[in-house]
Amino acid sequence: MAIALVTGGSRGIGRATARQLAQEGYRVVVNYHRNLDAANEVVEAIQAAGGNALAICADIGDEQQVEAMFTEIDALGEPLSALVNNAGILFTQSPLEKLTAERINRVLTTNVTGYFLCCREAVKRMSHAHGGQGGAIVNVSSAASRLGAPFEYVDYAASKGAVDTLTTGLALEVAAQGIRVNCVRPGLIYTEMHADGGEPGRVDRVKDALPMRRGGQPEEVAQAIVWLLSDKASYVTGSFLELAGGR
Ligand code: NAP
């Protein structure tokens, strides 16, 4: 059974993706950082539906914890064939002139360094150059990388710009090694992340300004991620899929 790792698989977009990947027949590793109960709920829901999943705690911004997580995955004895780099953070809405170095570095450590570290460990295992069987990676960026998130979180938007560039560069590096690397850019999706920005009802406040006049559901993002990981997307690499309702 092929293994799929979903970072931040315990809530929001990651949870929806983990559940759909389990339905596709993957053994799903649900990574989380702090909320064990949420991770266990996802694992139990997958198992109740006849799927296969386990939870692994690791802060993706911490190199040793990432390495330990991949070592734990190695011990499962099956190939890692899919990575969804999804875990991401943002902080309270604020203009750039009030951002501290501490906050900026926290955002970049999780949203950028974390993605790089998980890509590095996945490539070492998937690459034909290392005897791997190939695989696929999807990076979860954001429409914010195009829009800049002014007066809200330019630090977060910039971190997603880095994710976009990571996708382009890594896709080219590993295209001949049996690994496809793609990116999704969600817009306003109903998850708990907006509460971290200080506005739990943000999607409903701005949805009427969107071309489709509605926010997106995590499941709608998950469907695109699952497709990009699948053989149906076998000639797709270095691509960006906008999931922002036309924005
Ligand atoms: P969410 O509901 O806030 O969930 C975040 C997930 O990431 C949780 O499972 C959390 O686990 C995990 N996480 C946070 N920091 C972590 C760390 N250092 N190491 C490992 N796991 C960590 O977020 P979401 O809205 O689903 O967002 C998922 C991704 O979509 C993010 O990359 C986000 O930037 C992107 N996105 C979201 C939206 C949106 O409107 N929601 C729009 C565009 C892009 P714990 O609970 O255990 O900490």
Side-chain angles (χ1 to χ4, degrees):
M1 190 180 257
I3 295 174
L5 167 62
V6 183
T7 68
S10 54
R11 295 191 287 114
I13 292 167
R15 170 174 54 198
T17 304
R19 293 185 70 160
Q20 289 186 25
L21 287 172
Q23 285 167 7
E24 294 297 313
Y26 287 95
R27 183 173 193 181
V28 181
V29 176
V30 177
N31 159 255
Y32 69 101
H33 183 205
R34 296 181 194 284
N35 192 335
L36 172 62
D37 288 345
N40 281 340
E41 274 177 34
V42 177
V43 169
E44 284 162 17
I46 288 172
Q47 289 171 343
N52 199 322
L54 71 155
I56 300 182
C57 179
D59 175 354
I60 59 159
D62 182 307
E63 189 166 25
Q64 286 183 342
Q65 291 185 40
V66 169
E67 287 174 351
M69 173 168 65
F70 277 84
T71 301
E72 210 174 323
I73 292 170
D74 291 342
L76 298 173
E78 290 155 328
L80 176 74
S81 63
L83 165 65
V84 183
N85 260 324
N86 165 79
I89 57 169
L90 51 71
F91 295 110
T92 314
Q93 295 170 8
S94 163
L96 185 143
E97 65 187 30
K98 292 192 176 153
L99 299 187
T100 63
E102 197 250 339
R103 163 174 161 158
I104 295 164
N105 288 332
R106 281 179 70 189
V107 169
L108 296 178
T109 298
T110 301
N111 296 5
V112 182
T113 307
Y115 277 44
F116 269 82
L117 293 174
C118 291
C119 280
R120 184 188 76 191
E121 294 307 308
V123 165
K124 283 195 226 164
R125 287 155 176 85
M126 294 173 177
S127 170
H128 292 165
H130 295 291
Q133 298 175 16
I137 296 171
V138 172
N139 292 324
V140 181
S141 175
S142 171
S145 76
R146 295 183 280 109
L147 302 169
F151 305 108
E152 292 188 326
Y153 13 74
V154 176
D155 50 351
Y156 169 82
S159 77
K160 295 304 187 177
V163 168
D164 291 356
T165 306
L166 161 67
T167 303
T168 300
L170 182 61
L172 294 169
E173 276 195 13
V174 298
Q177 301 304 329
I179 306 173
R180 296 182 300 102
V181 186
N182 290 292
C183 188
V184 292
R185 285 196 286 231
L188 288 158
I189 311 299
Y190 287 98
T191 73
E192 293 163 3
M193 173 172 262
H194 304 288
D196 296 336
E199 190 185 0
R202 179 166 178 261
V203 179
D204 283 331
R205 175 175 64 83
V206 298
K207 69 178 177 9
D208 290 339
L210 301 177
M212 287 180 72
R213 305 280 191 273
R214 70 171 180 87
Q217 296 297 333
E219 290 73 18
E220 294 181 285
V221 181
Q223 284 166 9
I225 295 171
V226 171
W227 177 76
L228 283 168
L229 291 173
S230 77
D231 287 342
K232 290 176 185 161
S234 54
Y235 203 50
V236 182
T237 199
S239 288
F240 296 81
L241 201 45
E242 311 295 344
L243 291 143
R247 194 180 188 200

